[in-house]
């Protein structure tokens, strides 16, 4: 078992202490993040963009995710490891079970699935089989071709209502955690208060139970030259990667990150 478990995260939520989560794709950065105090390491399919240079996460395979999960596991020093199921790797239940097994056996303690209320059935069945699930709602990058770009979600009232309902349905189904990406700060705050499970935000304001950023983004590295509004470069004012990682954890814990300017209005 890692030092940080689902129970730890639920206690942090109850105490109102923020959860610091960061993506990691290899052993060295996993260890550095742990030494900086990161609670949760996310082996994100963002690796398709930041490691592989693709323009979306769609080309990422199960083999890629298992490889990077195994590397992160070797560098992990007590954090909870969450791994993404990549695009179309959870299109039916049988495939979902096999692919979750592969990631859990590679070292994940939880898996993350992008979607909405339709995830209720897989979440229920995975929980019954011992696999905790983080449901990723709001901007779901694997659906970029449906969404028509990487846009803020839940700005219209009907969309916001749907998102609130989805969050509650997935908690009811047995989701262990929720992740909200690019939703108005006020809506993210409402959802966080309406569920008992921890809610992690990225581009979702400061009221969620924790924050996540992509490692490369917070180190000020960008392939495209475009940085999303919700990103802060934590290398600024620091002289080492270790110091930048520690500054990120500190800023999340003392709620100085994200600032208002990193969030979205309705
Ligand atoms: O793949 C990833 O890094 C993610 C985070 C941006 C939440 O899903
Ligand atoms: Na992802």
């Amino acid at each position: 078992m890692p030092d940080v478990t689902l129970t730890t995260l639920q206690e942090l939520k109850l105490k109102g202490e923020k959860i610091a989560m960061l993506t990691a794709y290899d052993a060295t950065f996993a260890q550095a993040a742990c030494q900086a105090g990161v609670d949760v390491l996310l082996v994100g399919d963002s690796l398709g963009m930041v490691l592989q240079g693709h323009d979306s996460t769609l080309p990422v395979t199960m083999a890629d995710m298992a490889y990077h999960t195994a590397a992160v596991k070797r560098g992990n020093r007590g954090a909870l490891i969450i791994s993404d199921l990549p695009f179309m790797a959870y299109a039916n239940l049988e495939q979902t079970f096999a692919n979750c097994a592969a990631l859990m056996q590679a070292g994940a303690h939880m898996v993350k699935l992008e979607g909405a209320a339709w995830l209720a059935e897989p979440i229920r069945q995975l929980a019954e089989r011992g696999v905790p699930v983080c449901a990723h709602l709001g901007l779901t990058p694997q659906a970029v071709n449906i969404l028509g770009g990487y846009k803020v979600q839940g700005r219209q009232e009907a969309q916001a209502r749907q998102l609130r309902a989805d969050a509650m349905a997935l908690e009811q189904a047995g989701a262990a955690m929720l992740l909200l990406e690019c939703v108005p700060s006020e809506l993210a705050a409402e959802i966080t208060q309406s569920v008992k499970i921890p809610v992690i935000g990225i581009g979702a304001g400061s009221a969620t139970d924790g924050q996540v950023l992509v490692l490369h983004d917070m180190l000020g590295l960008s392939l495209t030259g475009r940085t999303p509004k919700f990103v802060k470069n934590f290398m600024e004012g620091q002289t080492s990667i270790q110091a930048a990682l520690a500054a990120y954890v500190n800023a999340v814990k003392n709620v100085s990150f994200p600032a208002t300017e990193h969030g979205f209005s309705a």
Side-chain angles (χ1 to χ4, degrees), residues 22-42:
L22 187 63
T23 70
Y25 315 102
D26 66 36
T28 306
F29 274 99
Q31 185 189 62
C34 288
Q35 285 165 348
V38 167
D39 302 301
V40 183
L41 297 172
L42 172 65

Side-chain angles (χ1 to χ4, degrees), residues 45-46 84 112 114:
D45 63 352
S46 52
D84 272 345
K112 180 159 72 61
E114 294 183 11

Side-chain angles (χ1 to χ4, degrees), residues 104-125:
M104 299 292 283
Q105 288 173 339
H109 305 111
M110 189 185 298
V111 297
K112 180 159 72 61
L113 274 58
E114 294 183 11
W118 69 271
L119 290 177
E121 195 52 32
I123 285 172
R124 182 175 298 111
Q125 296 225 18

Side-chain angles (χ1 to χ4, degrees), residues 21 23 25 42-47 57 84 112 114 136 141 179 181 202 212-214:
M21 172 162 154
T23 70
Y25 315 102
L42 172 65
V43 188
D45 63 352
S46 52
L47 68 85
T57 58
D84 272 345
K112 180 159 72 61
E114 294 183 11
H136 183 152
L179 189 146
E181 178 165 351
I202 177 166
V212 62
L213 280 179
V214 169

Side-chain angles (χ1 to χ4, degrees), residues 159-170:
Q159 255 193 356
R161 210 176 310 121
Q162 187 64 55
L163 208 54
R164 283 189 211 98
D166 291 347
M168 282 158 75
L170 296 181

